């Protein structure tokens, strides 16, 4: 404790803050990269005029509350105030669209990754660029606005993501980390920058040429991990810490996306490593040895924070429906006056799932709160269905919803592993799905038919990963690559638990997916029959 106290007092601690879908979290680390304080603020997106969004007030009040709780944690634990830091890094949910005019004013409400309103643009750009452009990418949102003749498009002078926006307001620098940038527009991994040829192709599109801007002029500058991305300004310090205690001049790391910080948090930035982040959304990322043989709309090509090529399967829905069902069981317990701790409830129900039939006994669930492009849904309706002769037991019910949380991810990853024959030595799992030891891990191993590791540090998640990236920026030796820094200075000696796939579980999940695929038309019909 005394060492941590002195580290904070001397300004040697490093801060990482990540804007997740449901929580903004700050993690303060010491010089050994160990967490020494944290703070969090819960928030939720809302559907306004058909668009999933967060307001600017949500963003800044949430950030200030999160930072304030971290400093309160510091005062409670160590009796000191946070006045200076060695470095700060911000990360956020990838993709989405924040567009600003010449005066720096937001032109339309923030359009988050969760929106599936850019299908026309994504399809057209994927064809023109011969590169899969997912609906949630910034460029898909911009081009959809072009196709829709939205009035704001002519006034656009800068577009960025949530992490890029926060960084810009705190430093004055319009920059972005290459991993986050890869969710805005395709990256040339050799150049570690936006693909110049594709930029020219986009700028030559007739519907784009009528506007007074060039895409290359309105995108942020791309930086790789380890590069300095500016310093905290006096105005930025007041935005982050309204109390005025925090000093300006702190070095800032390139803002990254939650995919990149998840890779860092699980030590999976090297070739043939991969990670799966499973929370509100779920995504798998595998660092590639060589290029894929063809373009797949289910597979996104993004990068590590160093710019190396990564194949990514991203699904909009994961644990929201699962959490809702657990909440129903909590309501049941409350009705009978039973005092049930939520962590114990999750653990009990998750472990019960392991007793279920490997194929879920004829039950099928769709966890789609929002659209799911991997299975062709622009909107979603959570749905549970069973055959008349199905085995409706609590174990099968819970196993079904655990399978459902990973079903679309499996569909995408089957293309990656079975069709493209991509090799991965180990997948590292992180996120809420893995909180109950061994359950989410075994289900994921069955879905991927690959070894799954869960490391102790993975529980710290993205904000810790962002703090590590900020520490890498100020501590790395000349020419020291990120993977070596992680192996030798961050994860040295850490093992984590590795679970091999069980053959019967793999077979059962494959059988479940057959039923799931057959029922997709029923999910599509539910969207039509139950309009929002």
């Amino acid at each position: 404790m005394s060492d941590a106290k002195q580290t904070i007092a001397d300004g040697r601690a490093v801060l990482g803050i990540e804007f997740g879908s449901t929580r903004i979290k700050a993690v303060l680390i010491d010089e050994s990269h160990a967490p020494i304080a944290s703070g969090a603020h819960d928030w939720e997106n809302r559907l306004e005029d058909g668009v999933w969004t967060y307001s600017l007030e949500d963003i800044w009040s949430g950030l200030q509350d999160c930072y304030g709780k971290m400093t309160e944690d510091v005062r409670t634990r160590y009796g000191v105030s946070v006045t200076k830091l060695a470095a700060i890094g911000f990360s956020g949910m990838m993709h989405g669209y924040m567009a600003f005019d010449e005066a720096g004013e937001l032109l339309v409400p923030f359009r988050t990754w969760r929106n599936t309103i850019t299908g026309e643009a994504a399809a057209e750009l994927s064809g023109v660029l011969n590169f899969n452009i997912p609906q949630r990418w910034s460029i898909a949102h911009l081009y959809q606005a072009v196709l829709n003749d939205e009035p704001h498009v002519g006034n656009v002078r800068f577009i960025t993501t949530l992490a890029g926006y926060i960084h810009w307001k705190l430093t004055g620098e319009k920059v972005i980390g290459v991993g986050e940038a890869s969710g805005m527009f395709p990256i040339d991994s050799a150049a570690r920058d936006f693909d110049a040829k594709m930029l020219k192709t986009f700028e030559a599109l007739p519907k784009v040429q009528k506007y007074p801007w060039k895409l290359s002029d309105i995108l942020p500058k791309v930086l790789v991990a380890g590069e300095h991305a500016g310093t905290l300004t006096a105005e930025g310090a007041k935005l982050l810490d309204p109390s005025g205690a925090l000093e300006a001049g702190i070095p800032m790391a390139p803002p990254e996306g939650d995919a990149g910080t998840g890779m860092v948090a699980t030590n999976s930035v090297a070739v043939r490593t991969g990670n799966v982040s499973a929370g509100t959304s779920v995504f798998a990322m595998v660092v590639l040895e060589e290029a894929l043989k063809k373009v797949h709309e289910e597979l996104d090509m993004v990068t590590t924070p160093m710019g190396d090529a990564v194949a990514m399967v991203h699904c909009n829905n994961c644990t929201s429906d699962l959490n809702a069902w657990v909440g129903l069981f909590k309501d049941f317990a409350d009705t009978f006056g039973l005092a049930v701790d939520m962590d114990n409830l999750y653990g009990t129900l998750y472990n019960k799932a392991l007793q279920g039939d490997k194929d879920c006994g004829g039950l099928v669930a769709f966890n789609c709160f929002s659209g799911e492009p991997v299975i062709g849904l622009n909107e979603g309706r959570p749905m549970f269905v069973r055959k008349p002769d199905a085995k409706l037991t609590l174990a099968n019910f819970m196993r079904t919803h655990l399978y459902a949380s990973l079903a679309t991810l499996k569909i995408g990853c089957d293309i990656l592993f079975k069709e493209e024959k991509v090799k991965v030595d180990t997948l590292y799992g992180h996120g809420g799905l893995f909180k109950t030891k061994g359950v989410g891990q075994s289900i994921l191993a069955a879905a991927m038919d690959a070894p799954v590791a869960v490391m102790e540090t993975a529980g710290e998640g993205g904000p810790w990963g962002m703090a590590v990236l900020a520490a890498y920026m100020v501590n790395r030796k000349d020419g020291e690559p990120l993977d070596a820094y992680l192996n030798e200075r961050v994860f040295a000696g850490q093992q984590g638990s590795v679970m091999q796939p069980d053959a019967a579980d793999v077979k059962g999940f494959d059988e479940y997916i057959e039923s799931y695929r057959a029922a997709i038309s029923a999910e599509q019909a539910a969207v039509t029959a139950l309009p929002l």
Side-chain angles (χ1 to χ4, degrees):
M1 183 178 290
S2 60
D3 288 345
K5 178 178 179 178
Q6 198 60 50
T7 296
I8 296 167
D10 292 346
R12 291 180 281 120
V14 174
L15 178 63
I17 299 180
E18 182 157 286
F19 283 72
S21 301
T22 59
R23 174 174 286 193
I24 305 168
K25 186 175 181 182
V27 172
L28 193 68
I29 64 173
D30 63 16
E31 290 166 301
S32 67
H33 308 95
I36 52 177
S38 65
H41 171 84
D42 292 335
W43 71 337
E44 282 288 349
N45 58 184
R46 47 179 169 262
L47 190 63
E48 295 182 352
D49 299 322
V51 174
W52 291 104
T53 188
Y54 303 85
S55 71
L56 294 184
E57 170 61 26
D58 292 336
I59 293 169
W60 292 111
S61 63
L63 174 60
Q64 290 166 2
D65 183 54
C66 171
Y67 179 82
K69 286 176 178 173
M70 184 277 296
T71 60
E72 183 180 327
D73 188 33
V74 167
R75 283 191 296 272
T76 300
R77 289 193 194 200
Y78 312 109
V80 294
S81 297
V82 178
T83 58
K84 51 187 176 180
L85 296 161
I88 304 176
F90 284 90
S91 55
M93 58 192 99
M94 282 181 73
H95 321 109
Y97 179 71
M98 297 190 81
F100 301 88
D101 64 15
E102 189 70 40
E105 296 297 319
L106 187 67
L107 290 166
V108 290
F110 170 34
R111 297 172 182 178
T112 78
W113 61 270
R114 195 171 191 178
N115 289 287
T116 50
I117 55 177
T118 63
E120 182 185 1
E124 184 175 329
L125 289 177
S126 295
V128 168
L129 300 177
N130 192 33
F131 190 100
N132 182 40
I133 303 294
Q135 288 203 47
R136 63 189 179 281
W137 280 24
S138 306
I139 192 61
H141 281 281
L142 175 64
Y143 193 55
Q144 190 64 55
V146 168
L147 296 179
N148 293 345
D149 288 320
E150 294 187 35
H152 80 272
V153 178
N155 296 320
V156 172
R157 295 298 179 269
F158 178 51
I159 65 170
T160 190
T161 65
L162 177 58
Y165 166 69
I166 298 292
H167 185 92
W168 169 40
K169 290 301 180 182
L170 297 185
T171 66
E173 301 288 341
K174 294 179 177 179
V175 300
I176 201 161
V178 65
E180 174 77 330
S182 68
M184 294 192 75
F185 191 84
I187 292 291
D188 177 352
S189 285
R192 316 285 176 180
D193 202 351
F194 293 120
D195 189 292
K197 183 178 178 181
M198 292 189 195
L199 280 174
K200 290 181 180 178
T201 300
F202 180 88
E203 291 171 348
L205 293 173
K207 291 178 181 177
V208 171
Q209 286 192 315
K210 69 179 182 179
Y211 290 102
W213 43 261
K214 289 179 62 178
L215 182 60
S216 53
D217 293 333
I218 64 173
L219 286 169
K221 180 182 178 182
V222 178
L223 301 175
V224 299
E227 291 190 275
H228 283 259
T231 57
L232 183 68
T233 63
E235 295 80 5
K238 290 177 183 176
L239 263 178
L240 181 57
D241 181 15
S243 76
L246 188 64
E247 298 175 5
I250 299 168
M252 299 278 286
E256 263 299 345
D258 52 1
T261 59
M263 298 177 82
V264 172
T266 53
N267 194 20
S268 51
V269 300
V271 168
R272 286 179 67 119
T273 62
N275 79 95
V276 172
S277 172
T280 304
S281 63
V282 62
F283 55 79
M285 305 183 71
V286 177
V287 187
L288 300 177
E289 289 182 284
E290 54 190 39
L292 299 181
K293 294 187 284 289
K294 57 182 285 191
V295 175
H296 301 271
E297 65 178 17
E298 298 90 351
L299 304 179
D300 306 352
M301 292 305 302
V302 292
T303 78
T304 70
M306 293 299 290
D308 296 312
V310 172
M312 178 182 189
V313 179
H314 183 284
C315 304
N316 290 343
N317 302 276
C318 184
T319 59
S320 294
D321 194 39
L322 186 57
N323 293 341
W325 284 109
V326 174
L328 183 68
F329 286 114
K330 178 65 165 64
D331 192 20
F332 172 85
D334 290 345
T335 300
F336 280 87
L338 303 174
V340 179
D341 173 76
M342 284 303 291
D343 287 341
N344 186 36
L345 181 60
Y346 269 100
T348 300
L349 290 173
Y350 275 35
N351 278 292
K352 187 69 176 179
L354 297 183
Q355 301 172 20
D357 294 324
K358 304 295 188 182
D359 64 354
C360 297
L363 313 182
V364 177
F366 287 84
N367 67 337
C368 303
F369 269 57
S370 60
E372 196 58 85
V374 171
I375 55 173
L377 294 176
N378 287 328
E379 296 180 30
R381 302 292 183 270
M383 185 174 73
F384 171 66
V385 63
R386 59 193 173 100
K387 300 174 184 177
D389 61 348
K391 301 173 186 175
L392 182 58
T393 65
L394 180 59
N396 279 346
F397 183 83
M398 289 307 302
R399 193 178 187 98
T400 297
H401 283 90
L402 281 164
Y403 275 18
S405 67
L406 297 174
T408 51
L409 183 77
K410 176 175 171 57
I411 288 171
C413 284
D414 279 351
I415 296 170
L416 188 64
F417 297 135
K418 295 181 180 179
E419 186 175 332
E420 285 282 349
K421 308 297 184 185
V422 168
K423 302 298 182 186
V424 62
D425 295 327
T426 306
L427 285 169
Y428 294 88
H430 59 110
L433 189 68
F434 305 103
K435 190 172 182 180
T436 299
K437 188 174 182 179
V439 179
Q441 190 177 4
S442 67
I443 298 294
L444 179 62
M448 302 292 104
D449 193 13
V452 173
V454 175
M455 305 183 78
E456 291 180 15
T457 48
E460 301 296 339
W464 179 76
M466 191 63 239
V468 170
L469 282 172
Y472 171 67
M473 177 188 69
V474 293
N475 295 330
R476 73 185 180 114
K477 302 168 187 172
D478 286 343
E480 183 179 19
L482 179 60
D483 59 342
Y485 183 89
L486 294 176
N487 283 327
E488 296 163 16
R489 300 217 237 167
V490 181
F491 291 95
Q494 293 190 28
Q495 290 297 316
S497 63
V498 180
M499 186 171 287
Q500 300 293 330
D502 177 82
D505 286 347
V506 172
K507 181 175 181 290
F509 210 136
D510 283 341
E511 291 169 349
Y512 172 83
I513 284 295
E514 289 181 17
S515 297
Y516 183 93
R517 285 181 181 274
I520 290 174
S521 59
E523 169 68 9
Q524 292 169 329
V527 172
T528 302
L530 301 171
L532 292 175

